[in-house]
Amino acid sequence: ELYDWFTANLPIKEPPKQFEMARLNVTTFLTSKRKLLKLVNSKVVDGWDDPRMSTLCGMRRRGVRPEALKAFIMKLGVTRQISLTQVDVLEDCIRDDLDPIVERRMVVLAPLKVVVEDYPEGKEEEVEAMNHPSNPAMGSRKLKFSRELWIEQDDFREDAPDSFFRLKPDGEVKLRYSYVIKVKQVIKDPKGVVTELRCTHDPATRDVMPADRKVN
């Protein structure tokens, strides 16, 4: 209102127009400059470009490209209505931007030990893994298979429904770039938490799916 009063009362031939748009609010994002400044001044973060900060330089250090942010803004548009955008929308834009150009890697965050009992102790073999599933030009890398493996805890369920297509008691699954394994024994700690799976493997399935049965 003050801006409009000045432009109306000052000797300006063609007063400029001002349109105030709503702030871009994103779930899990702190967008208040006052609160962000407090984090920096109190040394909670390492500066404005700390990867935990919801700033452009912070997101750049997290690996977010300008193309992803532009796609995010173009998808949302601008509005004068106060709204809250789910962070999933931003993550989708980042994922779509990185998908065709970034090599793949596998990471286990919550490990569950798997022992392949019928695989020789001390033996290791290398398997070829694609760096990108749909772009052979990005090459490949070597992965090692051995008697002891680690999988995500979520990839095994003891009381699994029919719709669960990962490991379960007496169930078979083909490991990516490797063999079909079958759960034979579930080992738990005194509290009943699953700590280890004892499995067997099918030596004929390293590079192919078995022809005599259906395996997930």
Side-chain angles (χ1 to χ4, degrees):
E1 292 179 1
L2 186 61
Y3 176 88
D4 291 336
W5 185 91
F6 273 110
T7 56
N9 289 276
L10 288 173
I12 303 173
K13 269 189 179 182
E14 298 179 2
K17 297 282 186 181
Q18 174 181 272
F19 300 94
E20 188 168 346
M21 314 310 292
R23 184 167 68 183
L24 176 58
N25 295 311
V26 181
T27 56
T28 75
F29 264 53
L30 190 63
T31 53
S32 166
K33 290 189 289 292
R34 176 175 54 84
K35 293 178 180 177
L36 290 170
L37 179 62
K38 186 176 181 180
L39 291 176
V40 174
N41 290 339
S42 59
K43 307 295 184 182
V44 174
V45 295
D46 295 330
W48 290 97
D49 64 344
D50 189 295
R52 295 168 291 180
M53 293 281 278
S54 53
T55 58
L56 290 177
C57 52
M59 296 183 73
R60 185 183 301 119
R61 285 191 62 194
R62 285 213 303 272
V64 179
R65 304 200 316 155
E67 291 80 0
L69 296 177
K70 291 175 185 176
F72 176 59
I73 297 302
M74 293 300 292
K75 180 178 284 189
L76 295 183
V78 291
T79 178
R80 301 180 72 174
Q81 299 290 327
I82 296 176
S83 61
L84 183 63
T85 301
Q86 295 296 314
V87 71
D88 296 351
V89 181
L90 173 60
E91 290 174 347
D92 283 343
C93 292
I94 296 171
R95 194 176 298 110
D96 289 343
D97 173 57
L98 295 178
D99 177 69
I101 62 171
V102 174
E103 294 184 356
R104 302 299 195 268
R105 292 296 182 266
M106 293 184 285
V107 177
V108 175
L109 299 177
L112 175 61
K113 186 177 181 179
V114 174
V115 177
V116 186
E117 292 184 320
D118 59 345
Y119 194 83
E121 287 192 45
K123 179 182 177 181
E124 282 186 353
E125 60 182 299
E126 290 187 336
V127 295
E128 200 80 19
M130 299 290 292
N131 283 328
H132 196 289
S134 57
N135 187 358
M138 295 181 74
S140 61
R141 65 193 186 280
K142 299 289 187 181
L143 298 179
K144 290 185 178 181
F145 181 88
S146 64
R147 178 182 168 87
E148 293 187 359
L149 311 168
W150 299 91
I151 65 170
E152 280 288 344
Q153 292 176 7
D154 289 343
D155 286 338
F156 172 79
R157 193 179 297 178
E158 198 167 11
D159 301 317
D162 292 339
S163 57
F164 187 76
F165 298 115
R166 285 170 277 184
L167 277 177
K168 51 191 173 184
D170 292 320
E172 286 187 302
V173 164
K174 188 177 190 309
L175 299 177
R176 195 175 184 89
Y177 307 117
S178 193
Y179 298 102
V180 170
I181 63 172
K182 183 175 183 178
V183 179
K184 304 300 290 185
Q185 183 184 1
V186 179
I187 299 176
K188 302 179 182 179
D189 65 13
K191 295 181 180 179
V193 177
V194 177
T195 59
E196 186 178 311
L197 301 178
R198 292 276 169 165
C199 301
T200 57
H201 81 299
D202 184 342
T205 59
R206 197 189 85 165
D207 301 312
V208 295
M209 294 292 283
D212 58 345
R213 62 194 186 280
K214 185 177 180 180
V215 174
N216 297 320

